[in-house]
Amino acid sequence: MCGIVGYVGYRDALGVVVDALRRMEYRGYDSAGVAILDGNGGIAVERKAGRLANLEAELDEAGAAKFAGTSGMGHTRWATHGAPTDRNAHPHRDCSGKLAVVHNGIIENFAPLRRELEDAGIELRSDTDTEVAVHLVARAYAEGPTAGDFTASVLAVLRRLDGAFTLVFTHADHPGTIVAARQSTPLVVGVGQGEMFIASDVTAFIEHTREAVELGQNQAVVITADGYTVTDFDGDTDVTSRPFTIDWDLAAAEKGGHDYFMLKEIEEQPTAVADTLIGHFVVDENGGRIVLDEQRLADQELREFDKVFVVACGSSYHAGLLAKYAIEHWTRVPVEVELASEFRYRDPVLDRSTLVVAVSQSGETADTLEAVRHAKEQKARVLAICNTNGAQIPRESDAVIYTRTGPEIGVASTKAFLAQVAANYLVGLALAQARGTKYPDEVAREFAELESMPKLIARVLETAPQVRAIARELAHVPTVLFLGRHVGYPVALEGALKLKELAYMHAEGFAAGELKHGPIALIEDGLPVIVVMPSPKGRAVLHSKLLSNIREIQARGARTIVIAEEGDDTVRPFADDLIEIPAAPTLFQPLLSTVPLQIFAAEVAQARGYDVDKPRNLAKSVTVE
Ligand code: F6R
């Protein structure tokens, strides 16, 4: 999400910055901008919605002389707060026009900060959360204990910001200095000879230097042409950052050192889920409440819905299946989950009191879009869960939750899927809160549990070597079956879909209870069956039923690969391979149990020599029916 670059040195800064933005295009963006300092108290800013080429055309028209200088910064924006327009594009400037900022991430407490600035008579000119940061630094620089001290002013403001952010500031009166900081989102320093860089990732400066420093959490850095200083947000230099030498080529650097984007995206899942949750729980006088991103639905409407439909395709549909378990459990409202392509061609019963939740990573999938339109024609209200700000589906919906994963380049959905699951749960909690089916403290507790999931997802990623070894052993079998019960069932479907689309292997997911009604006939000696075990601490009946299913298939010769909670020893005797995941509340377990299945499918595909990012016959956005 968003590409950031800053440069101080001796080269033409505009050239360095635009080249860097071009190299970070793969991160995805919907607008771009630059700020170049002329060294004499001047700063030239240009920003433009759309492709980098639009910005370059503006820069050409303005003429190179206007952007002459040896320090500056640039930004490619993936819209979160505010539409992808010229006025919301970065850099943003303070009222004097001398101070500029670029930002990646979300400033969670921007609303009270914005009010504070407006109360002080400052007119904000964009819809972004970012702009508050530049005005706050300008005020700290103008008066009070940090007056006139650029770095101290930035640090003072950083201490007031909540959320996940990388921020980079330049000041026309300090042309040889850039001040930057990170909290959760990435920032790397590139160390050159007589020049320094900062960027979201090393691709931005890899052609100029291979010496880099990775900043730690909640660290700030000041760069000049001669060096850099890392501190915490209090200015204390007693902190640890990680110098390293980049030994990747450019293509590998874009993929974070992996062979494929998808592998990087699997690793990004803790952040994708954490970012999706940011800002959705606002503390208030009653303890706190869930908020959506764009809410054009009254609370009264949320209270009056008597039915929910979730419509989506592919992996997004599987995320929707999980929504059913959560929404019905928390709200007692009936939920139907339907493939968008089926929904629109039958005659579903819809009216004003139906909520349709449309789940789509791209926001452009033709079937889902048409399902949304059909629902609206029937007067139903639509809530979109989408990864792409400003896409058609959220534009046509009455409310939106964005999954903030950044662009997903691998065709097979991974981080977007997990983020969709989290966003669906937010919908469930928002409905439960509006309808009073959960007390505010219960909603707060569920949200807190959800917020703790990214750490557990990171722990599941540690199973990768074991999962890969199993995958390599099974890379050439003809069929793999997946079994689950309750929320493990959609996980089984998702595991099978990943394997089909990436490894072109026959794979099927089953509800374990259905085994005896047919699929058990498929079981034969050595057939691999991946089983998603529910928590033994959840509903005991689910656990014991699945345990007997594993026994049944093992007795018939299946090779059982079991994903089970750590410490679930009851399953051990029946698992030929046991992949252990951390304990989690039943509804949230899919955020963990899906991850080994993604790793498994990717490894099988690699072992079979297939392109993991671009499976045959598939497109990332399916804009035709
Ligand atoms: C599977 C996959 C697809 C998409 C489906 C819907 O890995 O990526 O099944 O989930 O095409 O796409 P969106 O979510 O963009 O509507």
Side-chain angles (χ1 to χ4, degrees), residues 252 255 257-267 412 414 464-465 467-476 498-505 596-616:
K255 294 170 188 144
H258 297 287
D259 292 337
Y260 292 101
F261 281 110
M262 183 183 150
L263 306 179
K264 175 167 170 259
E265 287 159 3
I266 289 174
E267 278 194 0
T414 53
V467 176
R468 287 200 193 107
I470 300 169
R472 281 193 296 273
E473 273 179 50
L474 297 177
H476 298 286
K498 287 282 98 72
L499 195 60
K500 275 182 236 188
E501 64 182 334
L502 294 173
Y504 321 147
M505 194 185 260
L597 305 186
Q598 300 165 337
I599 297 168
F600 178 79
E603 187 67 21
V604 172
Q606 278 184 287
R608 290 164 78 112
Y610 301 140
D611 183 334
V612 173
D613 283 339
K614 296 192 198 74
R616 69 184 180 202

Side-chain angles (χ1 to χ4, degrees), residues 318-349:
H318 297 153
L321 289 175
L322 290 166
K324 178 178 170 76
Y325 293 86
I327 299 177
E328 288 190 342
H329 179 66
W330 287 329
T331 68
R332 312 312 300 149
V333 181
V335 179
E336 283 190 47
V337 190
E338 194 153 353
L339 293 166
S341 52
E342 292 295 318
F343 174 87
R344 56 174 300 216
Y345 289 116
R346 68 182 185 90
D347 192 11
V349 182

Side-chain angles (χ1 to χ4, degrees), residues 273 277 281 330 422 425 429 441-457 583-589 591-592:
V273 172
L277 297 175
F281 189 79
W330 287 329
Y425 289 168
L429 291 176
D441 61 323
E442 291 173 311
V443 172
R445 246 194 332 268
E446 296 287 0
F447 184 82
E449 290 279 11
L450 202 47
E451 263 192 325
S452 67
M453 295 308 291
K455 276 203 186 79
L456 303 185
I457 299 168
T586 298
L587 283 172
F588 300 158
Q589 199 211 43
L591 291 165
L592 308 180

Side-chain angles (χ1 to χ4, degrees), residues 312-317 359-365 368 393 408 410-414 420 494 497-498 501 618-622:
C313 304
S315 291
S316 303
Y317 167 73
V359 187
S360 175
Q361 186 283 132
S362 60
E364 304 288 347
T365 298
T368 313
I393 290 172
E408 194 176 59
V411 164
S413 184
T414 53
Q420 285 168 345
E494 177 61 8
L497 177 62
K498 287 282 98 72
E501 64 182 334
L618 295 177
K620 187 72 186 158
S621 279
V622 186

Side-chain angles (χ1 to χ4, degrees), residues 304-308 350-355 379-381:
E304 285 171 2
F305 291 126
D306 58 15
K307 184 168 37 163
V308 176
L350 303 166
D351 57 29
R352 256 171 236 293
S353 51
T354 312
L355 175 67
K379 306 281 181 265
R381 309 308 303 269

